[in-house]
Amino acid sequence: MAKHFRSASLPALLVAGAVVLLTGCGSGSADGSGPSSGGGDGITSVTVGTSPTLTNTSLFLATQDGTFKAHKLAATPQQVTSGAQALPLLLNGQIQFTAADPLGAIKAISEKMPVKIVGQGSVNSTEAAKDSTVLVVGRGKVTSVAGLSGRTVAVNALGGLAQVAAQAAIDAKGGTSRDVRFVEMSFTQMVAAVESGKVDGAVLNEPFVSQARSAGLTDLLPVMSTSIPTVPNIVYLTSESYAMSHPEVVEAFSESIDAANAALGKDPAKIRQVAATSTTTSADVLAEIILPTFPDRPLTQQPLDTLQSLMVRYGILTSPIDLKPYILVPRP
């Protein structure tokens, strides 16, 4: 059954706020309708910005198992390296949807970007044993969260989701995150940096958590299950103009992602099957790593409000914003 989205319209100021972002980004239809067109068979083609990660498995499953086709869509994933690359493409209509980290999505909304959140990928588990994001330390170097005071911890992006979640997790477990020095480093460098003592700890996700364990590093703190359980690892965005001009397509996309999420939640083995072709992770690594958790229900506002409250607490936002107009949700 088709769901009907509820969302208030954004003020015209938001469109003006995107002008700088759009400048020099190539051609595309201003209303986002360029490559999205219905053929004689009623199928609409859309392009989705994404990255080859496990958190996006439901997108790739929906392209492979006929879920998109059943919703009259032909979705083509297009690899993007960051939100900075994806947003201009989205707002120019060169892509119709994109995956984004939820902190980045909320920050874009706070900066007046005319985007809508229309779905989610994997979500953070409520169980520590299923948490694929872990703060690791050198063996015997730090034995408690309190021991992180005065220490250096690597994160993949300063002010990013991993840092905010780690700060909240440290504080929740009795540590003092303001006394921890966070430094930016790529995931590929973190294990060696902890081993050598260049940093005291690192916030890693899979497959680097498994690599760290193999190297003899110690799990100190499961990060996401401690600080932001049920919060999405990624959300899917569309532009406001596309949501207004193609509401049926947006509904169909959202329903397809929800269906694929539910399928993966019921049968986690499918995550490995899809990831064997949608990521560059080897079969041996896929067999060992902690798999992401996929939800059996559509995105709701509450988890994003939880994240936003932490963004305010740790200085990413100066004050909370009302996310309701920016999230397309089913009417009750």
Side-chain angles (χ1 to χ4, degrees):
M1 180 183 297
K3 60 188 174 190
H4 300 282
F5 287 126
R6 178 185 67 219
S7 177
S9 136
L10 295 177
L13 175 61
L14 298 190
V15 176
V19 170
V20 174
L21 192 65
L22 296 173
T23 303
C25 293
S27 61
S29 170
D31 68 356
S33 62
S36 175
S37 58
D41 55 2
I43 300 292
T44 299
S45 297
V46 295
T47 302
V48 186
T50 187
S51 57
T53 65
L54 290 170
T55 57
N56 293 331
T57 304
S58 51
L59 169 67
F60 291 96
L61 175 64
T63 66
Q64 295 173 14
D65 71 353
T67 297
F68 278 131
K69 186 176 181 180
H71 287 83
K72 302 296 184 181
L73 295 180
T76 301
Q78 176 174 315
Q79 187 166 335
V80 293
T81 57
S82 67
Q85 180 193 12
L87 274 176
L89 297 175
L90 185 72
L91 297 180
N92 269 330
Q94 292 169 279
I95 60 177
Q96 287 68 55
F97 302 93
T98 190
D101 119 54
L103 183 146
I106 293 172
K107 195 169 181 182
I109 288 168
S110 76
E111 294 171 352
K112 311 302 185 184
M113 292 296 102
V115 295
K116 298 282 193 180
I117 300 173
V118 299
Q120 63 186 340
S122 67
V123 298
N124 295 312
S125 176
T126 59
E127 302 175 44
K130 295 181 179 179
D131 195 334
S132 58
T133 303
V134 179
L135 197 165
V136 303
V137 294
R139 180 165 297 190
K141 193 167 186 179
V142 178
T143 58
S144 69
V145 173
L148 289 171
S149 292
R151 303 280 189 170
T152 300
V153 173
V155 291
N156 67 312
L158 290 176
L161 183 62
Q163 180 179 335
V164 169
Q167 287 175 290
I170 290 167
D171 291 337
K173 291 298 184 180
T176 307
S177 66
R178 67 174 177 271
D179 293 335
V180 179
R181 179 172 173 257
F182 290 94
V183 296
E184 188 169 306
M185 186 178 294
S186 71
F187 285 123
T188 57
Q189 297 175 313
M190 289 183 188
V191 172
V194 177
E195 285 185 292
S196 68
K198 183 177 180 179
V199 295
D200 300 297
V203 180
L204 295 170
N205 58 23
E206 288 287 21
F208 302 102
V209 173
S210 295
Q211 180 185 335
R213 290 168 179 164
S214 297
L217 303 187
T218 301
D219 292 7
L220 184 69
L221 180 64
V223 172
M224 301 299 185
S225 60
T226 300
S227 59
I228 48 173
T230 76
V231 170
N233 298 127
I234 64 158
V235 293
Y236 288 97
L237 305 179
T238 193
S239 66
E240 183 192 74
S241 61
Y242 193 81
M244 292 176 66
S245 60
H246 297 78
E248 298 86 358
V249 176
V250 174
E251 288 184 21
F253 178 84
S254 180
E255 289 179 344
S256 298
I257 293 294
D258 288 344
N261 283 338
L264 293 173
K266 291 177 183 177
D267 186 5
K270 286 184 178 178
I271 301 173
R272 291 189 173 91
Q273 294 170 7
V274 175
T277 56
S278 67
T279 76
T280 58
T281 309
S282 69
D284 289 344
V285 172
L286 283 172
E288 298 294 331
I289 62 174
I290 299 170
L291 295 175
T293 299
F294 285 88
D296 61 0
R297 62 197 67 186
L299 174 68
T300 62
Q301 183 176 334
Q302 187 275 325
L304 295 179
D305 281 339
T306 297
L307 174 59
Q308 183 180 205
S309 69
L310 295 180
M311 293 171 67
V312 174
R313 181 187 305 174
Y314 295 108
I316 308 303
L317 294 178
T318 56
S319 60
I321 56 177
D322 180 11
L323 291 175
K324 186 177 180 181
Y326 306 93
I327 304 172
L328 298 181
V329 297
R331 287 194 182 114

